[in-house]
C-alpha cells in the first residue's frame, strides 16, 4: 500500500478562503485510480483551514474563549473539504469515507495519540478508503490543537505500514532555498538526515503547521525498513501517476 498526502496547496487555492480546486483534485484522484495501486489518502486543509486557524492562533491551543467559535468553524470547514475529497474519489471509482481525525485520535500537548483505530481499520478491511485530513482536534492539555495532515501521515504510517509514503505538493521537491522567491534555488533529489542538516532555512508558505523543512523532517521519521518517502509536484499532470507506476520522476526522495 502507498500512503499519499494530498497537500492543501494542490487541492485548494491557498490564497482564496475556502476554494476547492476541483479540477486538480479530480485529476489527482483519477491518477491514483488509474495507477491500480492500493493507496490510502490523507489530505491537508489548505484554505479551508489555515487562514482562519492562523487568524485565531488556534495552533497554540485554547487561550481565549473568543477562539471557540473559530475552532468549531475550522473543524466544520475541514469536514467540508473531507466530503469534497471523498466525493471526488468516489467519482473516480474509489469508495472512500471522510474520517474526522478527532473521532479516532486525540492530541496530548500537540502530540497526536491514537484513541480508537477500530473504525479506520474496519473501513480499510472492507475496501472503503478511510480518508483523514488536517483538522482541529481536542488536546488533553491545550484544549484543542491543529492536527496537520503530516502528523496524520506519521500515525497512519505506524498503523498501516505502507510500502511507500508520498507527499503531493505544489513544488518539485525540497530545494536549497525557496524556489518561489530565489532563482538560485536547487532541487535536492535525495535527502538523508545529513542533507537536511545542511539545509537550514527552507520554508515556503505562511502556514500554521510549518513549511517544507518540517515536511522533510516528518518524511525522514517515516523512512526505515527500506521504506522511501517521496515529495513530488502534483500540479504537473501525470507525475503522480508515473511515480505510482514506478517510473523515474522529478522529486525528492527521503531515505535513511
Ligand atoms: C492543516 O493541515 C490543518 C488546519 C489548518 C486545520 P495541513 O498542514 O496538513 O494542511 P496543508 O496541506 O498545509 O494545507
Amino acid at each position: 500500500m502507498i500512503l499519499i498526502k494530498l497537500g492543501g496547496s494542490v487541492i485548494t487555492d491557498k490564497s482564496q478562503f475556502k476554494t476547492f480546486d476541483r479540477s486538480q483534485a479530480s485529476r489527482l484522484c483519477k491518477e491514483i485510480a488509474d495507477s491500480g495501486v492500493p493507496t490510502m489518502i490523507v489530505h491537508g486543509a489548505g484554505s479551508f483551514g489555515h487562514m482562519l486557524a492562523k487568524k485565531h492562533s488556534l495552533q497554540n491551543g485554547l487561550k481565549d474563549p473568543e477562539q471557540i467559535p473559530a475552532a468549531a468553524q475550522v473543524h466544520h470547514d475541514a469536514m467540508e473539504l473531507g466530503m469534497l475529497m471523498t466525493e471526488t474519489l468516489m467519482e473516480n471509482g474509489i469508495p472512500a469515507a471522510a474520517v474526522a481525525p478527532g473521532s479516532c485520535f486525540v492530541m496530548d500537548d500537540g502530540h497526536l495519540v491514537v484513541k480508537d483505530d477500530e473504525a479506520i481499520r474496519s473501513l480499510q478491511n472492507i475496501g472503503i478508503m478511510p480518508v483523514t485530513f488536517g483538522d482541529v482536534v481536542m488536546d488533553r492539555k491545550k484544549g484543542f490543537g491543529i492536527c496537520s495532515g503530516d502528523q496524520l501521515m506519521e500515525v497512519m504510517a505506524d498503523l498501516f505500514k505502507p510500502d511507500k509514503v508520498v507527499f503531493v505538493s505544489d513544488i518539485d521537491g525540497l530545494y536549497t532555498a525557496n524556489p518561489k522567491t530565489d532563482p538560485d534555488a536547487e532541487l535536492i533529489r535525495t535527502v538523508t538526515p545529513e542533507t537536511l542538516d545542511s539545509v537550514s532555512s527552507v520554508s515556503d508558505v505562511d502556514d500554521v503547521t510549518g513549511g517544507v523543512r518540517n515536511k522533510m523532517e516528518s518524511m525522514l521519521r517515516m523512512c526505515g525498513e527500506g521504506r522511501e518517502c517521496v515529495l513530488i509536484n502534483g500540479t504537473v499532470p501525470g507525475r503522480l501517476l508515473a511515480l505510482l507506476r514506478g517510473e523515474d520522476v522529478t522529486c525528492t526522495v527521503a531515505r535513511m
Side-chain angles (χ1 to χ4, degrees):
M1 188 271 282
I2 301 186
L3 181 64
I4 301 173
K5 181 191 172 193
L6 297 177
S9 58
V10 292
I11 58 167
T12 76
D13 178 342
K14 274 188 113 160
S15 65
Q16 302 289 321
F17 184 59
K18 285 184 71 180
T19 306
F20 182 50
D21 189 339
R22 188 177 292 276
S23 64
Q24 189 148 266
S26 180
R27 175 179 54 74
L28 290 166
C29 292
K30 184 168 187 319
E31 289 186 26
I32 289 165
D34 286 352
S35 76
V37 173
T39 55
M40 186 181 287
I41 292 169
V42 170
H43 65 80
S47 57
F48 286 67
H50 284 284
M51 287 178 171
L52 213 54
K54 189 176 168 66
K55 185 172 171 205
H56 296 274
S57 301
L58 301 185
Q59 73 277 19
N60 300 327
L62 176 60
K63 307 255 188 218
D64 187 314
E66 77 75 36
Q67 293 171 300
I68 293 169
Q73 188 64 49
V74 170
H75 170 60
H76 173 273
D77 296 347
M79 297 264 286
E80 205 177 312
L81 182 59
M83 299 301 282
L84 287 165
M85 279 307 300
T86 47
E87 184 182 303
T88 308
L89 283 164
M90 288 191 282
E91 281 164 6
N92 285 282
I94 300 176
V99 179
S103 64
C104 22
F105 309 120
V106 66
M107 292 180 99
D108 195 343
D109 208 14
H111 185 74
L112 195 60
V113 180
V114 180
K115 205 172 48 176
D116 182 358
D117 59 0
E118 187 178 346
I120 43 177
R121 285 200 187 277
S122 314
L123 283 164
Q124 159 84 352
N125 285 343
I126 63 159
I128 297 176
M129 183 195 289
V131 176
T132 57
F133 42 83
D135 195 358
V136 172
V137 170
M138 293 304 107
D139 189 304
R140 289 170 180 158
K141 301 228 164 52
K142 297 180 170 176
F144 54 66
I146 296 290
C147 160
S148 72
D150 291 13
Q151 285 173 292
L152 286 165
M153 287 290 279
E154 289 191 49
V155 171
M156 296 300 263
D158 263 359
L159 291 173
F160 293 98
K161 311 280 182 241
D163 306 306
K164 191 188 250 210
V165 177
V166 179
F167 286 83
V168 182
S169 177
D170 63 346
I171 49 166
D172 284 342
L174 180 70
Y175 282 81
T176 52
N178 186 344
K180 288 174 184 167
T181 53
D182 187 342
D184 293 331
E186 280 175 39
L187 181 68
I188 301 167
R189 297 201 171 259
T190 308
V191 163
T192 62
E194 295 74 38
T195 15
L196 189 65
D197 283 346
S198 63
V199 182
S200 58
S201 57
V202 180
S203 149
D204 51 356
V205 285
D206 203 14
D207 277 7
V208 291
T209 49
V212 174
R213 192 187 159 90
N214 275 359
K215 292 196 199 322
M216 294 306 299
E217 282 170 347
S218 62
M219 285 172 72
L220 278 170
R221 284 196 294 274
M222 281 188 270
C223 291
E225 293 163 35
R227 182 197 291 150
E228 279 183 354
C229 297
V230 184
L231 177 61
I232 69 156
N233 192 338
T235 68
V236 181
R239 196 173 281 179
L240 177 61
L241 176 60
L243 178 88
L244 295 175
R245 285 182 169 159
E247 294 166 26
D248 222 1
V249 297
T250 301
C251 63
T252 293
V253 178
R255 52 173 77 94
M256 296 304 271

